Amino acid sequence: MQTVPPALERLIEELTRLPGIGKKTATRLALYILRRPASEALSLAETLSELHKSIRLCGSCFAFSETDPCAICGDARRNTRLVCVVEEPGDLMAIEKTAVFRGVYHILHGVLAPMDGIGPRELKVRELLTKIRKGDVDEILLATSSTVPGEATASYLMEQLEGMQVRVTRLACGIPMGMDIKYADEHTLARAIESRQSMAS
Amino acid sequence: MQTVPPALERLIEELTRLPGIGKKTATRLALYILRRPASEALSLAETLSELHKSIRLCGSCFAFSETDPCAICGDARRNTRLVCVVEEPGDLMAIEKTAVFRGVYHILHGVLAPMDGIGPRELKVRELLTKIRKGDVDEILLATSSTVPGEATASYLMEQLEGMQVRVTRLACGIPMGMDIKYADEHTLARAIESRQSMAS
């Protein structure tokens, strides 16, 4: 028997398509939305409808932005000759939060995943190489994740950049700040030892 | 500086209002929605807009339903003289999944929470008592949660029902099925011992 009203069931199904949202969470969220005033659901609906209309990709760094160039690429105080290459817009947001990086970005929109049919052409690789060939870049900071696909993507880019007049750097890997060494996994610890740094005297 | 486009920021804020969704999860969900085709965001937006329009409360049990009476109250095979009292529509859905209960429901839409200003008048208590006074009910199964407010609400209802011509029952409490006794908390275990049952010989 139909004990869940179809309109509610539909919302539960749609929420289940979101990453990390299972049937139980979707049901809880849908019931919450239903219990709250209709105005809140309508407000969320409107925000969702506007989302893709207002946001485009920045033509230079491919970040999500309402303007082209985006706020970062259009900021005269940023060093456009230092380019940080990240996988996803979320990575850009994480790095911006540190307020340490004063260069600009280049968003690949993914990582190499040959098994899923994602090669360099599916990513913004060609656009990056064009930028460098034009001589607009002094340093490329490869800030892909230290996961297997992230490392593979960084290696691929490093090969492509060989012989080009550009310095290539990579985010440092090591023990996370505040972490007890005995809880660090062996790969991280091995990398931290290999990449050990001289103490300033 | 504004590095998150306002339309995206707005969606993140709205998602953060949902229960159990923090800033990080909201950001992840919003970026996911943005990366997917606009049609999916629009479809979710439409479902949200339709939600409150299509769903009302059943006039008899106060379940969310697109019809009045709801599918359960309108089903001639259900025993309308056995009424299961639950806190929320989600509880009804959980009990229906067991396919064991053949009576009907009465949804309180909350629990007593005097500190938050929620007394019997804020819940569907009067409607329940009216139903019973009319002589339409043989048995009330109190299926509020075995939490402090759930138990308090059940106790309050039990007092109100005293002297009325109706049998009052409560969901059994004890060790969850499949649980190792040594992992059961002491309150559950105490209750399971007090409520121990004779074995059928």
Side-chain angles (χ1 to χ4, degrees), chain A residues 5-12 29-35 38 41-42, chain B residues 45-56 66:
Chain A
L8 184 60
E9 186 72 56
R10 212 151 44 232
L11 179 57
I12 295 171
L29 292 176
L31 285 170
Y32 176 86
I33 294 169
L34 190 50
R35 279 201 309 271
L42 292 175
Chain B
E46 206 198 310
T47 305
L48 282 164
S49 324
E50 289 303 315
L51 189 68
H52 288 79
K53 271 184 245 167
S54 344
I55 297 182
R56 68 200 81 188
E66 296 192 9

Side-chain angles (χ1 to χ4, degrees), chain A residues 83-193:
Chain A
V83 176
C84 177
V85 177
V86 295
E87 297 170 12
E88 299 287 355
D91 301 326
L92 178 158
M93 286 156 68
I95 294 177
E96 278 301 292
K97 262 195 212 145
T98 67
V100 158
F101 182 71
R102 304 308 300 157
V104 294
Y105 295 88
H106 183 94
I107 292 145
L108 296 172
H109 285 275
V111 278
L112 293 176
M115 304 285 281
D116 301 332
I118 298 178
R121 279 168 192 220
E122 277 66 48
L123 309 179
K124 303 286 183 193
V125 168
R126 196 167 44 83
E127 293 81 350
L128 176 65
L129 299 178
T130 305
K131 222 182 266 181
I132 298 166
R133 277 200 200 97
K134 275 202 228 153
D136 292 347
V137 184
D138 291 332
E139 179 178 342
I140 291 289
L141 167 52
L142 294 176
T144 54
S145 295
S146 63
T147 57
V148 173
E151 295 282 0
T153 306
S155 298
Y156 172 82
L157 289 175
M158 233 128 68
E159 279 170 34
Q160 299 297 308
L161 296 172
E162 229 176 58
M164 289 196 193
Q165 286 298 315
V166 67
R167 185 181 171 210
V168 183
T169 53
R170 183 99 176 86
L171 283 186
C173 267
I175 310 293
M177 297 288 286
M179 191 188 220
D180 192 322
I181 283 174
K182 63 178 162 297
Y183 299 132
D185 69 284
E186 61 198 63
H187 305 291
T188 299
L189 199 49
R191 183 76 89 98
I193 295 167

